[in-house]
């Protein structure tokens, strides 16, 4: 693929790969269990800042700083966000949103010598040289995450998470500890977010707190998962590529912030037309082409 | 031999008291019914046994005090629960719904699945069907089947006849009797439909306003004119 596309397109695809990783990570917790997290950039931020600080300020090589960043994300997220899993519905969403904002403030106030304060961190060591290598790394990561999650979701754990999203009380009534299941889902979600965040930091080479802990970034992740098809693995990937390329396609037509208005409109229409996302649209098109009238529910 | 003993059990939803000092006993292999109108506290009683509601009082299972245990721990001790209105996972297949019930009996999945399929052959035929597309009777089968997947020795069934046709109710009564008489399960059923309860239970408790107001066999209870008029259509 890298040989056949322009470098700019390649960079857009790298962005889409990372967004897909973030969207899959969000989907493990929120798409499956129905606990809508607005604090996902908080987890991505821990991963990104941890590896950036470790590698830039303490000289830890990326092969160690990235795994450490993932562990820190899982641990940090667990300590801070886990109590929120006992809260349901919109309260959970609001609490997690508050954590994202809190992280933004903390990064600026606590040890700005390490975090770079409002200016962020620049000069983070790159793992690859050139767009081609960056693309290969991003695609490998995305497909690795997708495969890992796909295998995990085929287990009884995946089935139980899906069941929680439909009726948590009933899952509890079947003798399962939903708190334990949600904690595991959260840890998996944090692992993927930390991994994505850490690699993303090394890809971009810089971190800016306002870009990372930003409501636009958060909604892009959520919208990618929702319009792609929440509760699936391929859906968030579909959604991420669709959104990133839509925005890039709109850039020359609407260079300003207006393109976000169009993008929001497109996402809304798509979601209203098919709440199960692009994956469901693709499946129904495939069935139509095959002349398959079989009712999947029957 | 006593399997379940409930002593002075009260249940609360915040400040509201839904059960008032309920006491009852159930013997091994027995099938009993709790009869009462809407809001009498039937579902709360079963939820209380399962540890899903804040309670005061004592619940003993095989002599062990299980009061205050979490639902997962109670299911592991052999209590299966088929809640009111099925509480299924609508977008999952019949098979996946059943498998959610099998988490606490992972080593017996094949055996339990086979037993459920023998009890409800229709579930075997439609194991890949989403439960949202099933009839009320089929959903009730899935609900009971899911409870049975945990290898219970005590089965709690909450208002199984709601919204079901009389013929289906009859089939359901036979299945519950089979579970009790042939498979040795202790079965506790709550019901508004007193005639259904009589058709399957050996003993009945009448629950009114969160209290047990009468108990005995159907013959005993039907001698009480007020009860007979209220619940048995006499």
């Amino acid at each position: 693929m890298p040989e056949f596309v322009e470098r700019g397109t390649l960079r857009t695809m790298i962005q889409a790969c990372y967004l897909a990783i973030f969207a899959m990570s969000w989907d493990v917790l929120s798409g499956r269990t129905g606990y809508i997290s607005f604090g996902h950039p908080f987890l991505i931020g821990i991963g990104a800042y941890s590896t950036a600080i470790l590698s830039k300020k303490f000289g830890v090589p990326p092969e160690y700083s990235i795994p450490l960043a993932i562990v820190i994300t899982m641990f940090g997220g667990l300590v801070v966000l886990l109590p929120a899993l006992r809260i349901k519905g919109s309260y959970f969403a609001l609490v997690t949103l508050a954590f994202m904002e809190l992280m933004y403030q903390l990064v600026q106030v606590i040890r700005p010598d390490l975090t770079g304060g409002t200016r962020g961190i620049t000069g983070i060591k790159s793992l690859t040289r050139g767009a081609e290598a960056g693309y290969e790394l991003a695609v490998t990561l995305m497909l690795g995450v997708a495969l890992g999650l796909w295998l995990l979701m085929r287990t009884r754990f995946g089935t139980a998470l899906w069941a929680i999203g439909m009726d948590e009380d009933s899952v509890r009534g079947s003798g399962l500890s939903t708190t334990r299941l949600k904690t595991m889902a959260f840890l998996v979600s944090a692992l993927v977010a930390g991994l994505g965040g850490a690699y993303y930091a090394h890809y971009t080479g810089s971190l800016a707190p306002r870009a990372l802990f930003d409501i636009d970034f958060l909604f892009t992740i959520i919208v990618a998962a929702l319009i792609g098809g929440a509760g699936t693995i391929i859906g968030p990937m579909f959604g991420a590529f669709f959104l990133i390329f839509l925005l890039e396609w709109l850039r020359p037509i609407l260079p300003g912030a207006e393109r976000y208005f169009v993008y929001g409109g497109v996402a809304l229409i798509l979601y209203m037309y098919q709440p199960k996302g692009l994956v469901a649209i693709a499946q129904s098109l495939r069935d139509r082409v095959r002349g398959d009238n079989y009712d999947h529910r029957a | 031999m006593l399997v379940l003993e409930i002593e002075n059990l009260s249940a609360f939803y915040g400040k509201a008291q839904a059960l008032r000092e309920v006491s009852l006993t159930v013997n091994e292999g027995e099938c009993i019914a709790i009869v009462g109108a809407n809001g009498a506290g039937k579902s709360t009683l079963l939820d209380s046994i399962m540890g899903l509601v804040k309670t005061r009082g004592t619940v003993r299972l095989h002599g062990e005090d299980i009061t205050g245990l979490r639902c997962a721990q109670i299911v592991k001790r052999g209590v299966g629960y088929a809640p009111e209105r099925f509480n299924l996972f609508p977008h999952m297949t019949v098979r996946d719904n059943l498998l959610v019930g099998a988490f606490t009996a992972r080593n017996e999945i094949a055996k339990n699945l086979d037993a459920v399929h023998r009890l409800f052959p229709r579930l075997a035929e439609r194991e890949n069907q989403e439960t949202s597309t099933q009839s009320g009777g089929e959903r009730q089968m899935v609900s009971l089947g899911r409870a049975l997947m945990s290898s219970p020795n005590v089965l709690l069934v909450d208002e199984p006849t709601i919204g079901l046709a009389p013929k289906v109710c009859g089939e359901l009564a036979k299945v519950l009797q089979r579970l009790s008489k042939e498979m040795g399960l202790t079965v506790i059923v709550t019901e508004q439909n007193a005639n259904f309860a009589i058709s399957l239970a050996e003993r009945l408790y009448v629950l009114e306003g969160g209290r047990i107001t009468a108990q005995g066999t159907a013959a005993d209870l039907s001698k009480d004119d007020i009860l007979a008029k209220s619940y048995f259509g006499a």
Side-chain angles (χ1 to χ4, degrees):
Chain A
M1 175 75 86
E3 295 83 11
F4 303 110
V5 294
E6 287 175 16
R7 190 157 288 186
T9 311
L10 219 49
R11 293 203 186 280
T12 307
M13 290 173 88
I14 294 171
Q15 292 286 344
C17 287
Y18 281 109
L19 179 59
I21 293 171
F22 300 144
M24 282 190 278
S25 150
W26 179 86
D27 190 67
V28 173
L29 178 69
S30 301
R32 304 267 165 182
T33 66
Y35 277 72
I36 303 299
S37 166
F38 281 173
H40 222 62
F42 169 76
L43 296 173
I44 296 165
I46 297 179
Y49 266 94
S50 298
T51 191
I53 292 170
L54 284 169
S55 63
K56 175 117 196 268
K57 308 284 178 181
F58 297 102
V60 179
E63 56 265 36
Y64 297 113
S65 70
I66 291 174
L68 275 171
I70 293 169
V71 173
I72 294 168
T73 307
M74 291 168 78
F75 182 74
L78 203 62
V79 169
V80 179
L81 276 178
L82 193 63
L85 280 174
R86 294 189 177 274
I87 310 166
K88 275 187 177 178
S90 49
Y91 295 105
F92 176 77
L94 287 173
V95 167
T96 52
L97 182 64
F99 278 120
M100 184 182 78
E101 194 55 30
L102 186 72
M103 185 72 177
Y104 172 59
Q105 301 297 341
L106 285 178
V107 158
Q108 295 175 83
V109 176
I110 295 180
R111 300 291 304 269
D113 55 320
L114 287 180
T115 62
T118 47
R119 298 174 69 182
I121 303 177
T122 53
I124 304 165
K125 191 179 176 187
S126 178
L127 298 174
T128 53
R129 193 168 289 176
E132 288 84 359
Y135 169 78
E136 278 159 14
L137 177 66
V139 167
T140 307
L141 279 175
M142 181 187 72
L143 294 178
V145 166
L147 179 66
L149 291 179
W150 182 72
L151 290 171
L152 188 66
M153 291 308 144
R154 287 173 68 85
T155 63
R156 282 199 297 263
F157 169 68
T159 308
L161 288 190
W162 193 22
I164 287 176
M166 286 183 240
D167 191 339
E168 186 172 348
D169 289 338
S170 221
V171 176
R172 202 177 295 130
S174 296
L176 281 78
S177 168
T178 54
T179 306
R180 193 179 298 168
L181 286 164
K182 286 183 292 184
T183 306
M184 286 168 69
F186 181 80
L187 283 173
V188 174
S189 177
L191 185 152
V192 177
L195 175 104
Y199 274 97
Y200 190 65
H202 286 286
Y203 165 66
T204 56
S206 63
L207 292 174
R210 191 64 283 178
L212 202 54
F213 306 112
D214 178 43
I215 205 90
D216 283 348
F217 179 47
L218 164 68
F219 281 126
T220 306
I221 294 170
I222 297 177
V223 170
L226 290 181
I227 68 164
T232 65
I233 302 296
I234 199 167
M237 290 199 282
F238 254 38
F241 276 80
F242 177 80
L243 275 189
I244 291 284
F245 275 91
L246 176 69
L247 283 172
E248 284 307 307
W249 180 71
L250 287 171
R251 193 188 292 273
I253 308 164
L254 299 165
E258 305 87 8
R259 64 197 172 114
Y260 282 94
F261 183 73
V262 177
Y263 135 96
V266 171
L268 187 67
I269 290 165
L270 261 175
Y271 192 69
M272 283 169 70
Y273 172 69
Q274 177 49 275
K276 288 183 179 176
L278 291 167
V279 167
I281 295 173
Q283 275 170 349
S284 77
L285 283 173
R286 183 195 63 190
D287 291 348
R288 212 172 287 175
V289 169
R290 282 182 182 174
D292 185 0
N293 290 323
Y294 174 74
D295 182 354
H296 288 280
R297 295 174 305 171
Chain B
M1 184 187 157
L2 280 180
V3 167
L4 191 71
E5 298 164 79
I6 295 174
E7 276 178 24
N8 300 323
L9 191 70
S10 298
F12 304 86
Y13 293 108
K15 287 181 182 171
Q17 187 169 0
L19 282 185
R20 293 167 193 277
E21 312 218 318
V22 168
S23 296
L24 60 85
T25 57
V26 191
N27 296 308
E28 190 171 7
E30 194 178 22
C31 180
I32 71 151
I34 317 286
V35 182
N38 262 338
K42 303 184 296 298
S43 301
T44 304
L45 175 58
L46 298 192
D47 284 351
S48 302
I49 296 170
M50 294 305 296
L52 295 168
V53 181
K54 191 179 162 195
T55 57
R56 195 174 61 209
T58 312
V59 180
R60 279 193 213 92
L61 182 71
H62 299 293
E64 181 196 2
D65 188 350
I66 60 165
T67 323
L69 291 186
R70 280 181 286 117
C71 184
Q73 295 169 306
I74 294 168
V75 173
K76 276 183 191 148
R77 281 165 172 72
V79 184
Y81 185 25
E84 186 187 352
R85 296 215 176 267
F86 330 126
N87 283 60
L88 300 179
F89 309 112
H91 304 301
M92 279 188 181
T93 63
V94 168
R95 186 184 165 81
D96 281 342
N97 264 277
L98 294 177
L99 290 181
V100 171
F103 267 75
T104 51
R106 290 173 207 176
N107 299 327
E108 297 176 328
I109 290 177
K111 188 190 94 184
N112 288 337
L113 204 55
D114 185 52
V116 169
H117 286 166
R118 272 188 280 116
L119 268 177
F120 305 111
R122 205 177 301 176
L123 297 189
E125 291 162 18
R126 301 186 177 193
E127 67 171 359
N128 292 320
Q129 184 175 351
E130 272 188 19
T131 53
S132 60
T133 64
Q134 291 191 298
S135 68
E138 287 168 342
R139 287 187 216 184
Q140 188 55 261
M141 290 176 202
V142 179
S143 178
L144 278 173
R146 195 175 68 199
L148 293 171
M149 288 298 290
S150 63
S151 299
N153 48 54
V154 177
L155 181 64
L156 312 183
V157 188
D158 194 12
E159 302 216 37
T161 64
I162 283 185
L164 300 187
K167 190 187 167 203
V168 181
C169 293
E171 289 170 10
L172 204 57
K174 281 179 195 159
V175 167
L176 291 170
Q177 277 173 333
R178 264 184 77 188
L179 288 171
S180 165
K181 297 216 163 54
E182 292 174 24
M183 298 163 86
L185 253 71
T186 303
V187 179
I188 302 170
V189 180
T190 65
E191 259 306 330
Q192 283 191 58
N193 179 345
N195 291 319
F196 173 80
I198 290 169
S199 72
L200 73 101
E202 293 151 43
R203 286 189 301 126
L204 295 97
Y205 287 87
V206 176
L207 195 61
E208 287 180 323
R211 292 178 203 278
I212 299 280
T213 53
Q215 59 177 294
T217 63
D220 291 340
L221 295 180
S222 55
K223 284 175 195 163
D224 184 316
D225 283 347
I226 298 170
L227 283 175
K229 275 179 191 162
S230 304
Y231 293 102
F232 306 121

